[in-house]
Amino acid sequence: ALYCYNIAVLYVHQLKYKQAEPYYVEAADVYGKVAGKESEDYIAVCLDLASLYKSQSQYVKAEEIYTRMLRI
């Protein structure tokens, strides 16, 4: 999961948002299954994914994640 996250961050720094998205999603899936959906790693990746969506004007997707994180 950490490698997926690092690749996603690398793509974001290069402004390659479309390429970053699947790596964030994969990292979130793995952290959610391994560490649990209340873990700091899972939450951090999800918040980064929401920020990615926000930066692409995908506000509905971003809001869904932010709302889900509020429930944790």
Side-chain angles (χ1 to χ4, degrees):
L2 180 59
Y3 295 117
C4 289
Y5 178 76
N6 287 339
I7 292 169
V9 170
L10 178 67
Y11 280 133
V12 168
H13 285 281
Q14 296 174 359
L15 305 178
K16 297 179 179 180
Y17 301 128
K18 295 285 186 198
Q19 291 94 328
E21 181 182 1
Y23 289 102
Y24 275 133
V25 171
E26 178 70 19
D29 287 343
V30 172
Y31 279 131
K33 290 175 185 171
V34 174
K37 293 191 175 183
E38 294 183 4
S39 72
E40 290 180 20
D41 291 328
Y42 175 77
I43 294 169
V45 172
C46 288
L47 291 174
D48 283 352
L49 179 59
S51 294
L52 176 76
Y53 287 143
K54 187 174 72 171
S55 69
Q56 294 178 301
S57 301
Q58 296 183 36
Y59 300 117
V60 173
K61 287 183 177 182
E63 182 181 13
E64 289 171 0
I65 294 171
Y66 286 135
T67 302
R68 194 168 13 123
M69 295 301 104
L70 281 173
R71 295 185 195 128
I72 295 177

